[in-house]
Amino acid sequence: MTDIYTFDSHDLQKIDKLIAKYPEKQAAVLPVLWYAQDKFGHTDASVQKLVAKTLDIPEAHIHGVVTFYTQFYEKPMGKHVLDVCTCLTCQVSGGFDILEYLEDKLGIKTGETTPDGMFSIQSVECLGACGYAPMLQITNDKYVNYLTREKIDKLIEDLKSGDEPDFESIKMRQHLNGSDQ
Amino acid sequence: MAIDWKSYTPLLIPAINNLHEISVYEKHNGYKALTSVLQDTRKWNPKSVIQEVKEANIRGRGGAGFNAGLKWSFMPEPDGKPRYLACNGDESEPGTFKDRNIFEFNPHLFIEGAIIAGYAMQVNSIYVYIRGEYRSWVYMLQKAIDDAYVKGYLGKNILGSGFDVEMYVHMGAGAYICGEESSLMESLEGKRGYPRVKPPFPAQRGLWGRPTTINNIETLSNVPLVINNGSMWYKQIGTETHPGPVLYGISGHVNKPGVYEYPAGMDIMTLINDVAGGVRGGKKLKALIPGGSSTPPLRGEVLEGLTMDADALREAGSMMGTAGMVILDEDTDMVDLIWRISVFYHHESCGQCTPCREGTGWLEKTLYKIKSGNGEMRDLDLLLSICNRMEGRTICALADAAAWPVRYSINRFRDEFEKKCKKTVYALA
Ligand SMILES: Cc1cc2nc3c(=O)[nH]c(=O)nc-3n(C[C@H](O)[C@H](O)[C@H](O)COP(=O)(O)O)c2cc1C
Ligand code: SF4
Ligand code: FES
């Protein structure tokens, strides 16, 4: 089998920089896995093999790390992975309703990917946005806060037409000139 | 004495536009504490910095409330080999969402605090561990660090003092357990985040076997305040045993959820009703989880007159934790809520210790059974006995964190659990 995934010389330069942050090479395992996932979209067995070879670390160790951390995708996922928080505050703020709404809308269950490969849905633990519940994260990146059905509709439309949401900065109410207090 | 919260001006995250930019931060006394520490050598040396911070009694904002300066003093004398400071920005305890505000709105305060801590403990490498989900905030902090390098606050021979320190950001990848300090170090070393058996403590054997101190992001952000104004001034804020400002993360059934900065020891009902706009929809308050999912829930009735500080909350039968306050109204199904919390801990248990690996699973299963109407009265005793077998019997405190919410909600909301249970029928009764 030929290796489908490779790092080119530009990648290797970047990876050398990641390794240089630590006194030992093994510490670069997480950063290099992130680098690989950003490039290839996942860290399946072949990507794990590539990372192992690049860092000269046993494949078994890399596999152990990938399976320990939830954000590494062990297999290819949909183009957009919708991670809906259903934990604590999100739970009591309608997180499960949002999840069900998404399942109905996309016609898939949690943990599945749409046949066209556009969307995957996951139910995840607290994302550190409890004050802005319910919320979801898109493919390990942007947060979408204060979710409603309407907001989900718009989000799906936007993602389908290639529009990724911007980062939403949520100011502290205390800072809003006291007018809100 | 009640806190005059209305006239309180935030110190950790002041209302200054673009404070995240280094030039704006500098204009507002930014890096003044670091400059003083490194240049006023008559007043400051590593030992006197530790002493001042210890006297200020900055209680760790990561959950355990341990005096930061005292922790620093556990570091052994330098021996010329590497030693480390690890800054804990894992922020994964459900209900907690405060440290990200520091990265977003006042990253240089944290950076300055961490450099001063580095100087006090004479470390030359600082790692900032940030949960992988916070990618957006990782970029913000990295930008701030890059700017601090350009201005010479980081790197070699800082401000001509001869002190060198490097700061690196390390991104996690989705694992609550990596917030536990020894798991964090394993993760930084590129491994699965299995907590280490203690002793040895991190100050003896930490990162790469070398002396290491771990502090929370908010904890370190208090350090410049103490250096600039002195420990006496700092102790005027908050309560006698829990001084300083606190970032309260208020979420759940209130009208104005969000992060608010006020002194430690704020009156809980004031926070809920006046600061956060009261319970949503005029509903009655049922319960409060005061400091993240692992802190035992308190009934609404006991909150009158109770304050948010370590001592008061311990006395009331809970904990300050991360000050991530989850407000729950009368419609909340406590059984459902506790079941979901147990799902979390089961998912996040690293699996090294049998009482935790098996116990969290049993808690989840049994609570699911009760929640779906198939439980029996004796299942409540089963739950309590599982808790007994988990608490204090494991490598790290995750098992305790999983058991407490279950134990105390059965204690405090027993009627709700009983309502869902069938009466136990004994075979030969
Ligand atoms: C299971 C578990 C998870 C933890 N998660 C965090 C966390 O996300 N952030 C944090 O600062 N501390 C966390 N802690 C506490 C750390 O172990 C450590 O006490 C803390 O970072 C020390 O910093 P401080 O003294 O400044 O609070 C956790 C502890 C346990 C047992
Ligand atoms: S208590 Fe749980 S999370 Fe902590 S080390 Fe043991 S198994 Fe892992
Ligand atoms: S509970 Fe959903 S972000 Fe914290």
Side-chain angles (χ1 to χ4, degrees):
Chain A
M1 194 182 84
T2 52
D3 293 333
I4 338 165
Y5 301 109
T6 49
F7 288 135
D8 59 24
S9 61
H10 169 79
D11 296 327
L12 293 173
Q13 263 175 18
K14 293 260 180 172
I15 288 171
D16 278 340
K17 279 204 184 130
L18 294 174
I19 296 171
K21 286 162 68 174
Y22 308 94
E24 285 179 17
K25 209 177 191 175
Q26 181 176 267
V29 167
L30 266 72
V32 173
L33 281 170
W34 270 123
Y35 188 87
Q37 180 154 302
D38 285 349
K39 184 175 164 102
F40 307 121
H42 57 85
T43 50
D44 75 357
S46 344
V47 174
Q48 290 169 28
K49 194 168 156 198
L50 172 67
V51 170
K53 209 174 69 193
T54 309
L55 288 175
D56 194 20
I57 284 172
E59 230 176 294
H61 179 87
I62 304 296
H63 181 69
V65 170
V66 167
T67 51
F68 187 86
Y69 297 92
T70 55
Q71 288 188 284
F72 293 133
Y73 302 144
E74 288 166 60
K75 54 178 187 7
M77 301 285 278
K79 183 160 181 246
H80 306 289
V81 182
L82 305 175
D83 283 339
V84 181
C85 178
T86 56
C87 198
L88 196 61
T89 307
C90 288
Q91 179 198 11
V92 299
S93 310
F96 281 105
D97 298 338
I98 294 294
L99 192 66
E100 269 172 39
Y101 185 70
L102 260 176
E103 286 182 333
D104 289 348
K105 191 173 173 70
L106 298 176
I108 52 169
K109 290 269 163 243
T110 300
E112 294 176 353
T113 300
T114 52
D116 63 358
M118 276 295 276
F119 297 101
S120 304
I121 316 177
Q122 304 193 112
S123 164
V124 300
E125 302 300 348
C126 178
L127 289 167
C130 326
Y132 326 119
M135 57 80 61
L136 62 75
Q137 177 169 32
I138 306 174
T139 329
N140 290 328
D141 194 5
K142 298 292 186 302
Y143 282 17
V144 189
N145 306 290
Y146 307 115
L147 288 175
T148 56
R149 290 185 171 79
E150 294 70 39
K151 223 166 156 177
I152 294 275
D153 291 343
K154 176 153 190 319
L155 175 70
I156 298 295
E157 281 316 305
D158 286 352
L159 290 174
K160 276 185 180 161
S161 56
D163 268 353
E164 307 258 349
D166 292 328
F167 173 77
E168 184 184 5
S169 177
I170 301 177
K171 303 268 178 301
M172 282 165 68
R173 292 177 197 260
Q174 205 171 357
H175 289 180
L176 305 174
N177 280 332
S179 56
D180 200 33
Q181 279 294 325
Chain B
M1 194 186 63
I3 292 166
D4 179 16
W5 61 277
K6 280 191 179 146
S7 60
Y8 176 78
T9 314
L11 301 159
L12 295 170
I13 309 185
I16 297 168
N17 284 336
N18 301 320
L19 189 57
H20 64 281
E21 288 172 17
I22 197 161
S23 56
V24 178
Y25 182 70
E26 284 175 321
K27 248 182 247 150
H28 291 87
N29 285 327
Y31 291 106
K32 194 178 129 217
L34 178 66
T35 308
S36 157
V37 160
L38 294 182
Q39 294 185 340
D40 188 354
T41 48
R42 269 181 318 176
K43 184 166 176 200
W44 298 115
N45 56 57
K47 287 231 155 61
S48 71
V49 173
I50 293 186
Q51 190 55 33
E52 194 68 30
V53 173
K54 189 163 131 188
E55 266 162 34
N57 190 15
I58 305 173
R59 304 193 58 168
R61 307 295 199 242
F66 195 79
N67 181 326
L70 185 59
K71 191 190 276 187
W72 298 0
S73 73
F74 299 155
M75 287 287 271
E77 285 297 314
D79 58 2
K81 297 200 195 118
R83 36 210 271 130
Y84 301 100
L85 168 65
C87 311
N88 194 341
D90 193 53
E91 185 145 271
S92 304
E93 168 97 351
T96 312
F97 55 106
K98 59 175 180 89
D99 293 335
R100 59 175 258 197
N101 268 21
I102 297 176
F103 296 142
E104 187 170 343
F105 299 113
N106 203 3
H108 289 288
L109 183 71
F110 155 70
I111 295 171
E112 185 177 9
I115 302 170
I116 295 170
Y119 169 79
M121 291 180 276
Q122 299 173 70
V123 311
N124 302 110
S125 304
I126 301 174
Y127 288 94
V128 188
Y129 190 102
I130 305 182
R131 64 179 301 178
E133 293 87 346
Y134 278 2
R135 180 182 282 249
S136 303
W137 291 271
V138 166
Y139 294 153
M140 292 179 212
L141 183 70
Q142 188 61 57
K143 166 79 172 70
I145 291 173
D146 293 347
D147 291 345
Y149 268 105
V150 171
K151 293 275 186 150
Y153 299 123
L154 278 166
K156 299 257 173 288
N157 190 22
I158 299 169
L159 304 173
S161 64
F163 173 62
D164 309 332
V165 78
E166 306 290 333
M167 183 180 274
Y168 308 102
V169 178
H170 185 91
M171 197 163 113
Y176 162 69
I177 192 57
C178 292
E180 193 278 339
E181 56 186 25
S182 62
S183 166
L184 182 149
M185 296 191 291
E186 290 288 301
S187 182
L188 243 166
E189 292 178 6
K191 303 180 225 164
R192 282 179 271 188
Y194 287 148
R196 300 177 183 171
V197 178
K198 285 146 268 187
F201 291 98
Q204 275 84 52
R205 281 181 64 85
L207 280 168
W208 300 286
R210 301 291 308 157
T212 302
T213 291
I214 299 100
N215 273 128
N216 170 262
I217 303 299
E218 183 185 348
T219 309
L220 291 165
S221 303
N222 278 271
V223 171
L225 307 179
V226 171
I227 297 300
N228 276 330
N229 306 289
S231 56
M232 289 306 283
W233 169 89
Y234 184 82
K235 286 202 285 191
Q236 301 298 307
I237 308 163
T239 75
E240 212 177 313
T241 54
H242 202 140
V246 165
L247 295 176
Y248 297 97
I250 305 183
S251 73
H253 301 144
V254 286
N255 284 311
K256 298 178 191 172
V259 175
Y260 295 90
E261 180 188 330
Y262 286 108
M266 277 286 284
D267 179 74
I268 288 175
M269 293 315 291
T270 304
L271 281 171
I272 296 175
N273 288 329
D274 302 322
V275 171
V279 179
R280 228 169 44 179
K283 297 265 179 187
K284 279 217 285 284
L285 175 64
K286 175 183 230 160
L288 168 73
I289 298 176
S293 57
S294 64
T295 60
L298 292 164
R299 286 185 77 98
E301 302 92 83
V302 308
L303 301 178
E304 205 61 57
L306 190 60
T307 54
M308 282 294 289
D309 59 270
D311 291 344
L313 284 166
R314 189 172 346 95
E315 230 165 277
S318 192
M319 283 175 300
M320 178 81 167
T322 59
M325 304 167 65
V326 184
I327 284 88
L328 302 165
D329 74 14
E330 54 185 319
D331 296 339
T332 310
D333 181 335
M334 289 307 281
V335 179
D336 219 32
L337 180 91
I338 298 302
W339 160 74
R340 184 61 185 84
I341 291 180
S342 75
V343 171
F344 170 78
Y345 285 108
H346 184 205
H347 182 250
E348 301 300 332
S349 165
C350 83
Q352 281 191 104
C353 321
T354 310
C356 176
R357 184 186 60 240
E358 302 298 319
T360 51
W362 275 97
L363 291 181
E364 179 190 335
K365 254 191 296 197
T366 311
L367 283 160
Y368 186 78
K369 190 176 154 202
I370 297 174
K371 146 191 151 78
S372 2
N374 300 315
E376 295 177 34
M377 286 303 184
R378 64 177 162 197
D379 288 328
L380 299 181
D381 296 329
L382 174 64
L383 284 170
L384 293 173
S385 109
I386 298 168
C387 293
N388 286 339
R389 291 177 220 195
M390 292 170 71
E391 289 165 11
R393 290 162 191 264
T394 53
I395 295 176
C396 88
L398 185 137
D400 306 79
W404 291 327
V406 176
R407 169 185 300 287
Y408 289 99
S409 49
I410 294 181
N411 269 341
R412 293 171 186 164
F413 300 89
R414 190 165 179 116
D415 50 327
E416 279 192 47
F417 286 81
E418 288 188 349
K419 249 188 249 157
K420 299 214 176 193
C421 289
K422 294 183 260 192
K423 288 213 169 59
T424 300
V425 182
Y426 291 96
L428 295 171

